[in-house]
Amino acid sequence: PLQEIAVAPLLLALPAVRTATADERPTTPGRRSLAGRLLVATEALRDPRFARTVIYIVRHTEGGALGLVVNIPMGDAPFERALEPFGLEAPPGSGKVRVYYGGPVESQRGFVLHTPDWTGEGTLVINTHFALSEDPKVLQAMARGSGPRRALFCLGYAGWAPGQLDAELGRGSWGIAPADEKLVFVEGPKTKWIEATARRLLDL
């Protein structure tokens, strides 16, 4: 069963994903950016940290790639605990937020992947269905019931150096699948990998 976990300090700050700079061009000649799509781990992937993972790609440029694992829940944390390090309050009875393993890099940093119907300071709108917020006020809005329609709270992220993700794709470690709200936000953790695997050949 899922256990309640400690999530402080939740450093909701990752300047690298806030905005794209002018010199960020698509990854390599002939390959378009995978931002807004899903990476689906294949049986060829040998890294146990990513076995059967589904990763939403937030950024993919010549400078590297960054994504969030969306199918590994770690536990539940009270909104009060999540907001306390920032001096923000949650209303009484606001309940808990499900916390996901976003990846092995900087595991105490928190990110909220959500629908773009809510935006705050520094929110990165990725497309018409997904946005990423680093401002802890998104958690406060969620606690108040005024946050985004759908959201996923992740600790840590997955990162790739320049050319690394392209090399892994070339080795067959990952499949590529389209992302939609139902698959990312609604489907159960185990179902996400199965469903994304079924879709991966449809959107190369």
Side-chain angles (χ1 to χ4, degrees), residues 120-137:
E121 183 179 354
T123 294
L124 173 68
V125 177
I126 301 165
N127 54 39
T128 57
H129 297 284
F130 295 94
L132 184 76
S133 289
E134 56 193 78
D135 188 338
K137 288 182 180 178

Side-chain angles (χ1 to χ4, degrees), residues 44-61:
L45 182 64
R46 301 303 179 190
D47 189 335
R49 298 174 301 173
F50 293 105
R52 294 203 167 196
T53 55
V54 178
I55 299 179
Y56 183 88
I57 295 297
V58 173
R59 182 183 179 189
H60 184 211
T61 70

Side-chain angles (χ1 to χ4, degrees), residues 32-116:
R32 57 180 170 168
S33 172
L34 297 179
R37 296 192 176 200
L38 298 174
L39 290 183
V40 190
T42 71
E43 300 298 338
L45 182 64
R46 301 303 179 190
D47 189 335
R49 298 174 301 173
F50 293 105
R52 294 203 167 196
T53 55
V54 178
I55 299 179
Y56 183 88
I57 295 297
V58 173
R59 182 183 179 189
H60 184 211
T61 70
E62 287 183 344
L66 183 148
L68 298 173
V69 178
V70 298
N71 67 323
I72 303 181
M74 298 193 301
D76 297 324
F79 276 108
E80 291 92 336
R81 180 182 297 174
L83 292 170
E84 185 178 6
F86 307 102
L88 299 175
E89 295 183 355
S94 54
K96 299 178 181 181
V97 59
R98 176 66 50 88
V99 184
Y100 282 77
Y101 166 78
V105 183
E106 298 189 82
S107 59
Q108 290 301 307
R109 282 190 164 179
F111 316 94
V112 179
L113 182 68
H114 59 89
T115 49

